[in-house]
Amino acid sequence: MSGRTERSAIGVLALQGDFAEHVAVLRRLGVGAVEVRLPEQLEGLDGLIIPGGESTTIARLMHQWGLVEPVRQRAREGMAVWGTCAGAIVLAERAPSLDRPGLRLMDIGVERNAFGRQVDGFEVDLDVPELGPPAFRAVFIRAPFISDVGPKATALATLADGTVAAARQDNLLATAFHPELTDDLRFHRYFLDLAAARAPSAAGLPAAG
Ligand code: GLN
């Protein structure tokens, strides 16, 4: 290793959707993120963000560019993966309304556009115990429901009506909303810590945060 102090190498899947916003947030945190479009760009990454956008398109392009199996493989080896909104749909083991299989990595079920057509977007203050106070201003845009959380995953945040809005399973993170569209960097920091803890290069070093 070069002795640099930055914690880990992070990629953002850049096939479709709001990947540029994630890259910008990471930059603000001092992380030079790699835009990932090809399987070989996964090499050496400790974490990968799958952005919001259109899950059907992202899944189709991932198949087209041969990214599905390599991402599954790298995630099994410990690479942290975070899906925001459409990305969470792609990450889910159960996504019946996706027209082809996504990554099926995370023990959650999701329903696309489940908040109803008339509610395209809304914002809400979410309590996220893992982040601590204050509440996280969560932006939902044609968001999915996390409709079930299986035994391998844990809910991290729920709406007032009990709907799960964020979940985690070891190195995997899913948020139905878009932290990349706010100035609150805590979810990105949380993911960086996840990736750093999992990074092979971090073995023997204290995890960041
Ligand atoms: N509705 C989109 C989908 O089903 C997700 C929207 C988003 O990522 N903001 O893929």
mmCIF file of all heavy atoms in Angstrom, residues 22 25-26 29 49 82 84 126-131 136-138 156-157 165-168 173-175 177-180 182 184-194:
data_model
loop_
_atom_site.group_PDB
_atom_site.id
_atom_site.type_symbol
_atom_site.label_atom_id
_atom_site.label_comp_id
_atom_site.label_asym_id
_atom_site.label_seq_id
_atom_site.Cartn_x
_atom_site.Cartn_y
_atom_site.Cartn_z
ATOM 1 N N HIS A 22 -23.686 11.157 -6.161
ATOM 2 C CA HIS A 22 -22.916 10.360 -5.198
ATOM 3 C C HIS A 22 -21.423 10.686 -5.293
ATOM 4 O O HIS A 22 -20.741 10.834 -4.278
ATOM 5 C CB HIS A 22 -23.118 8.862 -5.454
ATOM 6 C CG HIS A 22 -24.354 8.303 -4.826
ATOM 7 N ND1 HIS A 22 -24.491 8.173 -3.467
ATOM 8 C CD2 HIS A 22 -25.505 7.832 -5.374
ATOM 9 C CE1 HIS A 22 -25.678 7.645 -3.193
ATOM 10 N NE2 HIS A 22 -26.314 7.427 -4.330
ATOM 11 N N VAL A 25 -20.737 13.919 -3.512
ATOM 12 C CA VAL A 25 -20.724 13.808 -2.047
ATOM 13 C C VAL A 25 -19.424 13.161 -1.581
ATOM 14 O O VAL A 25 -18.788 13.608 -0.628
ATOM 15 C CB VAL A 25 -21.931 12.983 -1.526
ATOM 16 C CG1 VAL A 25 -21.811 12.773 -0.025
ATOM 17 C CG2 VAL A 25 -23.248 13.674 -1.848
ATOM 18 N N LEU A 26 -19.016 12.107 -2.281
ATOM 19 C CA LEU A 26 -17.776 11.423 -1.887
ATOM 20 C C LEU A 26 -16.593 12.378 -1.998
ATOM 21 O O LEU A 26 -15.698 12.392 -1.152
ATOM 22 C CB LEU A 26 -17.566 10.173 -2.748
ATOM 23 C CG LEU A 26 -18.581 9.049 -2.467
ATOM 24 C CD1 LEU A 26 -18.505 7.970 -3.547
ATOM 25 C CD2 LEU A 26 -18.354 8.432 -1.091
ATOM 26 N N LEU A 29 -16.237 14.459 0.836
ATOM 27 C CA LEU A 29 -15.676 13.718 1.973
ATOM 28 C C LEU A 29 -14.210 13.355 1.736
ATOM 29 O O LEU A 29 -13.623 12.601 2.499
ATOM 30 C CB LEU A 29 -16.495 12.444 2.216
ATOM 31 C CG LEU A 29 -17.885 12.679 2.809
ATOM 32 C CD1 LEU A 29 -18.725 11.413 2.742
ATOM 33 C CD2 LEU A 29 -17.770 13.149 4.256
ATOM 34 N N ILE A 49 -21.374 1.917 -4.760
ATOM 35 C CA ILE A 49 -22.701 2.514 -4.585
ATOM 36 C C ILE A 49 -23.503 2.314 -5.869
ATOM 37 O O ILE A 49 -23.002 2.575 -6.969
ATOM 38 C CB ILE A 49 -22.597 4.019 -4.262
ATOM 39 C CG1 ILE A 49 -21.871 4.218 -2.927
ATOM 40 C CG2 ILE A 49 -23.978 4.658 -4.218
ATOM 41 C CD1 ILE A 49 -21.644 5.689 -2.544
ATOM 42 N N TRP A 82 -23.909 -0.450 -1.482
ATOM 43 C CA TRP A 82 -25.028 0.373 -0.996
ATOM 44 C C TRP A 82 -25.914 0.744 -2.179
ATOM 45 O O TRP A 82 -25.437 1.322 -3.155
ATOM 46 C CB TRP A 82 -24.464 1.631 -0.345
ATOM 47 C CG TRP A 82 -25.490 2.652 0.095
ATOM 48 C CD1 TRP A 82 -26.816 2.461 0.317
ATOM 49 C CD2 TRP A 82 -25.229 4.035 0.391
ATOM 50 N NE1 TRP A 82 -27.400 3.628 0.736
ATOM 51 C CE2 TRP A 82 -26.447 4.605 0.786
ATOM 52 C CE3 TRP A 82 -24.080 4.832 0.359
ATOM 53 C CZ2 TRP A 82 -26.563 5.945 1.137
ATOM 54 C CZ3 TRP A 82 -24.196 6.168 0.710
ATOM 55 C CH2 TRP A 82 -25.424 6.722 1.111
ATOM 56 N N THR A 84 -29.156 2.976 -3.307
ATOM 57 C CA THR A 84 -30.109 4.022 -2.935
ATOM 58 C C THR A 84 -31.284 3.974 -3.911
ATOM 59 O O THR A 84 -31.089 4.038 -5.127
ATOM 60 C CB THR A 84 -29.474 5.430 -2.967
ATOM 61 O OG1 THR A 84 -28.938 5.712 -4.265
ATOM 62 C CG2 THR A 84 -28.337 5.542 -1.981
ATOM 63 N N LEU A 126 -36.287 11.341 9.455
ATOM 64 C CA LEU A 126 -36.208 9.934 9.856
ATOM 65 C C LEU A 126 -35.274 9.786 11.049
ATOM 66 O O LEU A 126 -34.164 10.313 11.031
ATOM 67 C CB LEU A 126 -35.573 9.121 8.731
ATOM 68 C CG LEU A 126 -36.393 8.348 7.737
ATOM 69 C CD1 LEU A 126 -35.454 7.482 6.905
ATOM 70 C CD2 LEU A 126 -37.464 7.502 8.405
ATOM 71 N N ASP A 127 -35.713 9.034 12.025
ATOM 72 C CA ASP A 127 -34.798 8.657 13.099
ATOM 73 C C ASP A 127 -33.973 7.472 12.637
ATOM 74 O O ASP A 127 -34.535 6.450 12.245
ATOM 75 C CB ASP A 127 -35.612 8.229 14.334
ATOM 76 C CG ASP A 127 -35.844 9.401 15.247
ATOM 77 O OD1 ASP A 127 -34.983 10.296 15.285
ATOM 78 O OD2 ASP A 127 -36.904 9.414 15.907
ATOM 79 N N VAL A 128 -32.662 7.626 12.666
ATOM 80 C CA VAL A 128 -31.797 6.523 12.271
ATOM 81 C C VAL A 128 -30.857 6.251 13.452
ATOM 82 O O VAL A 128 -29.818 6.904 13.585
ATOM 83 C CB VAL A 128 -30.980 6.862 11.002
ATOM 84 C CG1 VAL A 128 -30.225 5.627 10.511
ATOM 85 C CG2 VAL A 128 -31.865 7.431 9.902
ATOM 86 N N PRO A 129 -31.243 5.330 14.336
ATOM 87 C CA PRO A 129 -30.449 5.105 15.552
ATOM 88 C C PRO A 129 -28.966 4.884 15.273
ATOM 89 O O PRO A 129 -28.124 5.369 16.037
ATOM 90 C CB PRO A 129 -31.094 3.850 16.155
ATOM 91 C CG PRO A 129 -32.504 3.864 15.651
ATOM 92 C CD PRO A 129 -32.454 4.483 14.293
ATOM 93 N N GLU A 130 -28.632 4.209 14.189
ATOM 94 C CA GLU A 130 -27.218 3.965 13.859
ATOM 95 C C GLU A 130 -26.454 5.269 13.630
ATOM 96 O O GLU A 130 -25.243 5.310 13.811
ATOM 97 C CB GLU A 130 -27.099 3.128 12.582
ATOM 98 C CG GLU A 130 -27.477 1.683 12.722
ATOM 99 C CD GLU A 130 -26.337 0.852 13.300
ATOM 100 O OE1 GLU A 130 -25.365 0.600 12.581
ATOM 101 O OE2 GLU A 130 -26.447 0.476 14.473
ATOM 102 N N LEU A 131 -27.147 6.313 13.170
ATOM 103 C CA LEU A 131 -26.482 7.593 12.923
ATOM 104 C C LEU A 131 -26.557 8.505 14.131
ATOM 105 O O LEU A 131 -25.810 9.479 14.228
ATOM 106 C CB LEU A 131 -27.110 8.310 11.721
ATOM 107 C CG LEU A 131 -27.095 7.601 10.369
ATOM 108 C CD1 LEU A 131 -27.721 8.498 9.302
ATOM 109 C CD2 LEU A 131 -25.677 7.208 9.958
ATOM 110 N N PHE A 136 -32.567 12.361 10.278
ATOM 111 C CA PHE A 136 -32.023 12.477 8.914
ATOM 112 C C PHE A 136 -33.145 12.903 7.977
ATOM 113 O O PHE A 136 -34.198 12.265 7.927
ATOM 114 C CB PHE A 136 -31.450 11.110 8.479
ATOM 115 C CG PHE A 136 -30.606 11.195 7.233
ATOM 116 C CD1 PHE A 136 -29.223 11.348 7.330
ATOM 117 C CD2 PHE A 136 -31.181 11.133 5.965
ATOM 118 C CE1 PHE A 136 -28.429 11.435 6.189
ATOM 119 C CE2 PHE A 136 -30.399 11.223 4.823
ATOM 120 C CZ PHE A 136 -29.030 11.376 4.932
ATOM 121 N N ARG A 137 -32.919 14.013 7.255
ATOM 122 C CA ARG A 137 -33.938 14.477 6.300
ATOM 123 C C ARG A 137 -33.888 13.565 5.066
ATOM 124 O O ARG A 137 -32.936 13.624 4.272
ATOM 125 C CB ARG A 137 -33.629 15.926 5.900
ATOM 126 C CG ARG A 137 -34.700 16.556 5.052
ATOM 127 C CD ARG A 137 -35.845 17.010 5.917
ATOM 128 N NE ARG A 137 -36.958 17.568 5.174
ATOM 129 C CZ ARG A 137 -38.189 17.641 5.666
ATOM 130 N NH1 ARG A 137 -38.478 17.175 6.868
ATOM 131 N NH2 ARG A 137 -39.153 18.178 4.965
ATOM 132 N N ALA A 138 -34.886 12.724 4.912
ATOM 133 C CA ALA A 138 -34.849 11.718 3.852
ATOM 134 C C ALA A 138 -35.726 12.138 2.675
ATOM 135 O O ALA A 138 -36.891 12.505 2.851
ATOM 136 C CB ALA A 138 -35.326 10.368 4.388
ATOM 137 N N LEU A 156 -32.890 -0.390 9.573
ATOM 138 C CA LEU A 156 -32.142 0.706 10.206
ATOM 139 C C LEU A 156 -33.019 1.911 10.474
ATOM 140 O O LEU A 156 -32.674 2.756 11.296
ATOM 141 C CB LEU A 156 -30.977 1.161 9.304
ATOM 142 C CG LEU A 156 -29.817 0.218 9.049
ATOM 143 C CD1 LEU A 156 -28.758 0.931 8.218
ATOM 144 C CD2 LEU A 156 -29.220 -0.291 10.345
ATOM 145 N N ALA A 157 -34.119 2.028 9.725
ATOM 146 C CA ALA A 157 -35.004 3.181 9.899
ATOM 147 C C ALA A 157 -36.387 2.838 9.366
ATOM 148 O O ALA A 157 -36.500 2.122 8.361
ATOM 149 C CB ALA A 157 -34.445 4.386 9.146
ATOM 150 N N ALA A 165 -37.464 1.918 5.722
ATOM 151 C CA ALA A 165 -36.891 2.829 4.728
ATOM 152 C C ALA A 165 -35.407 2.593 4.512
ATOM 153 O O ALA A 165 -34.840 3.075 3.528
ATOM 154 C CB ALA A 165 -37.124 4.278 5.167
ATOM 155 N N ALA A 166 -34.760 1.876 5.424
ATOM 156 C CA ALA A 166 -33.331 1.582 5.275
ATOM 157 C C ALA A 166 -33.039 0.274 5.982
ATOM 158 O O ALA A 166 -33.658 -0.039 7.011
ATOM 159 C CB ALA A 166 -32.486 2.704 5.865
ATOM 160 N N ALA A 167 -32.120 -0.494 5.417
ATOM 161 C CA ALA A 167 -31.783 -1.785 6.018
ATOM 162 C C ALA A 167 -30.320 -2.094 5.756
ATOM 163 O O ALA A 167 -29.698 -1.539 4.846
ATOM 164 C CB ALA A 167 -32.670 -2.894 5.446
ATOM 165 N N ARG A 168 -29.803 -2.997 6.582
ATOM 166 C CA ARG A 168 -28.403 -3.396 6.440
ATOM 167 C C ARG A 168 -28.269 -4.900 6.639
ATOM 168 O O ARG A 168 -29.000 -5.498 7.431
ATOM 169 C CB ARG A 168 -27.552 -2.666 7.483
ATOM 170 C CG ARG A 168 -26.140 -3.172 7.449
ATOM 171 C CD ARG A 168 -25.212 -2.378 8.323
ATOM 172 N NE ARG A 168 -23.983 -3.141 8.427
ATOM 173 C CZ ARG A 168 -23.056 -2.945 9.341
ATOM 174 N NH1 ARG A 168 -23.210 -1.992 10.219
ATOM 175 N NH2 ARG A 168 -21.981 -3.699 9.366
ATOM 176 N N LEU A 173 -26.005 -2.383 2.257
ATOM 177 C CA LEU A 173 -26.827 -1.304 2.797
ATOM 178 C C LEU A 173 -27.862 -0.915 1.746
ATOM 179 O O LEU A 173 -27.537 -0.829 0.553
ATOM 180 C CB LEU A 173 -25.898 -0.122 3.108
ATOM 181 C CG LEU A 173 -26.459 1.158 3.692
ATOM 182 C CD1 LEU A 173 -27.070 0.900 5.076
ATOM 183 C CD2 LEU A 173 -25.349 2.208 3.811
ATOM 184 N N ALA A 174 -29.102 -0.728 2.170
ATOM 185 C CA ALA A 174 -30.157 -0.306 1.240
ATOM 186 C C ALA A 174 -30.926 0.846 1.848
ATOM 187 O O ALA A 174 -31.325 0.787 3.012
ATOM 188 C CB ALA A 174 -31.108 -1.475 0.963
ATOM 189 N N THR A 175 -31.099 1.922 1.071
ATOM 190 C CA THR A 175 -31.956 3.011 1.516
ATOM 191 C C THR A 175 -32.985 3.279 0.409
ATOM 192 O O THR A 175 -32.621 3.359 -0.763
ATOM 193 C CB THR A 175 -31.160 4.308 1.799
ATOM 194 O OG1 THR A 175 -30.369 4.657 0.656
ATOM 195 C CG2 THR A 175 -30.226 4.134 2.980
ATOM 196 N N PHE A 177 -34.508 5.930 0.122
ATOM 197 C CA PHE A 177 -34.435 7.363 -0.150
ATOM 198 C C PHE A 177 -33.050 7.735 -0.667
ATOM 199 O O PHE A 177 -32.224 6.865 -0.949
ATOM 200 C CB PHE A 177 -34.809 8.149 1.127
ATOM 201 C CG PHE A 177 -34.032 7.708 2.333
ATOM 202 C CD1 PHE A 177 -32.853 8.312 2.691
ATOM 203 C CD2 PHE A 177 -34.481 6.631 3.104
ATOM 204 C CE1 PHE A 177 -32.122 7.889 3.787
ATOM 205 C CE2 PHE A 177 -33.755 6.192 4.215
ATOM 206 C CZ PHE A 177 -32.565 6.823 4.545
ATOM 207 N N HIS A 178 -32.795 9.049 -0.791
ATOM 208 C CA HIS A 178 -31.621 9.555 -1.522
ATOM 209 C C HIS A 178 -30.723 10.450 -0.663
ATOM 210 O O HIS A 178 -30.771 11.677 -0.800
ATOM 211 C CB HIS A 178 -32.087 10.406 -2.706
ATOM 212 C CG HIS A 178 -32.738 9.644 -3.805
ATOM 213 N ND1 HIS A 178 -32.032 9.072 -4.838
ATOM 214 C CD2 HIS A 178 -34.039 9.358 -4.022
ATOM 215 C CE1 HIS A 178 -32.871 8.465 -5.667
ATOM 216 N NE2 HIS A 178 -34.089 8.624 -5.192
ATOM 217 N N PRO A 179 -29.859 9.894 0.165
ATOM 218 C CA PRO A 179 -28.954 10.755 0.950
ATOM 219 C C PRO A 179 -28.042 11.615 0.077
ATOM 220 O O PRO A 179 -27.562 12.665 0.524
ATOM 221 C CB PRO A 179 -28.138 9.754 1.766
ATOM 222 C CG PRO A 179 -28.999 8.542 1.861
ATOM 223 C CD PRO A 179 -29.725 8.485 0.537
ATOM 224 N N GLU A 180 -27.825 11.212 -1.148
ATOM 225 C CA GLU A 180 -26.928 11.972 -2.035
ATOM 226 C C GLU A 180 -27.563 13.290 -2.479
ATOM 227 O O GLU A 180 -26.888 14.125 -3.088
ATOM 228 C CB GLU A 180 -26.524 11.115 -3.258
ATOM 229 C CG GLU A 180 -27.597 10.889 -4.319
ATOM 230 C CD GLU A 180 -28.604 9.808 -3.955
ATOM 231 O OE1 GLU A 180 -28.653 9.391 -2.784
ATOM 232 O OE2 GLU A 180 -29.372 9.379 -4.846
ATOM 233 N N THR A 182 -29.027 15.418 -0.340
ATOM 234 C CA THR A 182 -29.079 16.360 0.786
ATOM 235 C C THR A 182 -27.655 16.749 1.184
ATOM 236 O O THR A 182 -26.693 16.196 0.659
ATOM 237 C CB THR A 182 -29.770 15.708 2.011
ATOM 238 O OG1 THR A 182 -28.993 14.581 2.417
ATOM 239 C CG2 THR A 182 -31.177 15.255 1.689
ATOM 240 N N ASP A 184 -26.611 16.374 4.189
ATOM 241 C CA ASP A 184 -26.263 15.547 5.347
ATOM 242 C C ASP A 184 -25.410 14.373 4.860
ATOM 243 O O ASP A 184 -25.889 13.513 4.121
ATOM 244 C CB ASP A 184 -27.561 15.055 6.005
ATOM 245 C CG ASP A 184 -27.324 14.449 7.373
ATOM 246 O OD1 ASP A 184 -26.205 13.941 7.622
ATOM 247 O OD2 ASP A 184 -28.273 14.476 8.188
ATOM 248 N N LEU A 185 -24.158 14.365 5.262
ATOM 249 C CA LEU A 185 -23.210 13.378 4.725
ATOM 250 C C LEU A 185 -23.111 12.118 5.579
ATOM 251 O O LEU A 185 -22.270 11.260 5.328
ATOM 252 C CB LEU A 185 -21.810 14.020 4.601
ATOM 253 C CG LEU A 185 -21.742 15.380 3.897
ATOM 254 C CD1 LEU A 185 -20.298 15.885 3.829
ATOM 255 C CD2 LEU A 185 -22.331 15.302 2.492
ATOM 256 N N ARG A 186 -23.973 12.006 6.590
ATOM 257 C CA ARG A 186 -23.770 10.929 7.561
ATOM 258 C C ARG A 186 -23.954 9.535 6.972
ATOM 259 O O ARG A 186 -23.258 8.603 7.363
ATOM 260 C CB ARG A 186 -24.696 11.117 8.775
ATOM 261 C CG ARG A 186 -24.239 12.243 9.680
ATOM 262 C CD ARG A 186 -25.191 12.422 10.841
ATOM 263 N NE ARG A 186 -26.502 12.901 10.391
ATOM 264 C CZ ARG A 186 -27.610 12.808 11.123
ATOM 265 N NH1 ARG A 186 -27.583 12.257 12.316
ATOM 266 N NH2 ARG A 186 -28.757 13.275 10.650
ATOM 267 N N PHE A 187 -24.886 9.369 6.043
ATOM 268 C CA PHE A 187 -25.065 8.031 5.463
ATOM 269 C C PHE A 187 -23.865 7.641 4.613
ATOM 270 O O PHE A 187 -23.445 6.485 4.607
ATOM 271 C CB PHE A 187 -26.355 7.928 4.638
ATOM 272 C CG PHE A 187 -27.408 7.118 5.331
ATOM 273 C CD1 PHE A 187 -28.504 7.743 5.884
ATOM 274 C CD2 PHE A 187 -27.295 5.742 5.453
ATOM 275 C CE1 PHE A 187 -29.479 7.011 6.561
ATOM 276 C CE2 PHE A 187 -28.257 4.995 6.121
ATOM 277 C CZ PHE A 187 -29.356 5.642 6.679
ATOM 278 N N HIS A 188 -23.295 8.621 3.899
ATOM 279 C CA HIS A 188 -22.099 8.320 3.109
ATOM 280 C C HIS A 188 -20.929 7.970 4.021
ATOM 281 O O HIS A 188 -20.173 7.041 3.749
ATOM 282 C CB HIS A 188 -21.759 9.491 2.168
ATOM 283 C CG HIS A 188 -22.676 9.572 0.976
ATOM 284 N ND1 HIS A 188 -23.933 10.112 1.063
ATOM 285 C CD2 HIS A 188 -22.519 9.130 -0.303
ATOM 286 C CE1 HIS A 188 -24.522 10.020 -0.139
ATOM 287 N NE2 HIS A 188 -23.688 9.434 -0.975
ATOM 288 N N ARG A 189 -20.816 8.705 5.139
ATOM 289 C CA ARG A 189 -19.750 8.382 6.103
ATOM 290 C C ARG A 189 -19.952 6.987 6.665
ATOM 291 O O ARG A 189 -19.000 6.222 6.815
ATOM 292 C CB ARG A 189 -19.769 9.378 7.265
ATOM 293 C CG ARG A 189 -19.047 10.635 6.930
ATOM 294 C CD ARG A 189 -18.538 11.328 8.212
ATOM 295 N NE ARG A 189 -18.203 12.688 7.857
ATOM 296 C CZ ARG A 189 -19.029 13.713 7.989
ATOM 297 N NH1 ARG A 189 -20.221 13.550 8.541
ATOM 298 N NH2 ARG A 189 -18.671 14.903 7.590
ATOM 299 N N TYR A 190 -21.208 6.678 6.968
ATOM 300 C CA TYR A 190 -21.542 5.353 7.505
ATOM 301 C C TYR A 190 -21.108 4.272 6.513
ATOM 302 O O TYR A 190 -20.503 3.261 6.879
ATOM 303 C CB TYR A 190 -23.054 5.301 7.759
ATOM 304 C CG TYR A 190 -23.567 4.007 8.342
ATOM 305 C CD1 TYR A 190 -23.398 3.724 9.702
ATOM 306 C CD2 TYR A 190 -24.231 3.078 7.551
ATOM 307 C CE1 TYR A 190 -23.885 2.540 10.247
ATOM 308 C CE2 TYR A 190 -24.712 1.892 8.093
ATOM 309 C CZ TYR A 190 -24.540 1.633 9.440
ATOM 310 O OH TYR A 190 -25.011 0.450 9.970
ATOM 311 N N PHE A 191 -21.383 4.499 5.233
ATOM 312 C CA PHE A 191 -21.002 3.529 4.211
ATOM 313 C C PHE A 191 -19.474 3.431 4.078
ATOM 314 O O PHE A 191 -18.926 2.343 3.912
ATOM 315 C CB PHE A 191 -21.641 3.888 2.868
ATOM 316 C CG PHE A 191 -21.292 2.898 1.792
ATOM 317 C CD1 PHE A 191 -21.776 1.591 1.829
ATOM 318 C CD2 PHE A 191 -20.463 3.248 0.738
ATOM 319 C CE1 PHE A 191 -21.435 0.665 0.864
ATOM 320 C CE2 PHE A 191 -20.118 2.331 -0.241
ATOM 321 C CZ PHE A 191 -20.614 1.034 -0.181
ATOM 322 N N LEU A 192 -18.803 4.570 4.163
ATOM 323 C CA LEU A 192 -17.328 4.543 4.089
ATOM 324 C C LEU A 192 -16.743 3.726 5.236
ATOM 325 O O LEU A 192 -15.785 2.962 5.041
ATOM 326 C CB LEU A 192 -16.755 5.963 4.121
ATOM 327 C CG LEU A 192 -16.993 6.834 2.893
ATOM 328 C CD1 LEU A 192 -16.362 8.203 3.089
ATOM 329 C CD2 LEU A 192 -16.438 6.173 1.631
ATOM 330 N N ASP A 193 -17.347 3.861 6.411
ATOM 331 C CA ASP A 193 -16.862 3.069 7.544
ATOM 332 C C ASP A 193 -17.087 1.583 7.296
ATOM 333 O O ASP A 193 -16.237 0.749 7.605
ATOM 334 C CB ASP A 193 -17.585 3.498 8.833
ATOM 335 C CG ASP A 193 -17.103 4.849 9.328
ATOM 336 O OD1 ASP A 193 -16.078 5.340 8.818
ATOM 337 O OD2 ASP A 193 -17.756 5.411 10.232
ATOM 338 N N LEU A 194 -18.247 1.281 6.712
ATOM 339 C CA LEU A 194 -18.558 -0.111 6.371
ATOM 340 C C LEU A 194 -17.515 -0.667 5.403
ATOM 341 O O LEU A 194 -16.990 -1.767 5.579
ATOM 342 C CB LEU A 194 -19.906 -0.135 5.639
ATOM 343 C CG LEU A 194 -21.076 -0.836 6.259
ATOM 344 C CD1 LEU A 194 -22.303 -0.698 5.376
ATOM 345 C CD2 LEU A 194 -20.738 -2.278 6.490
#
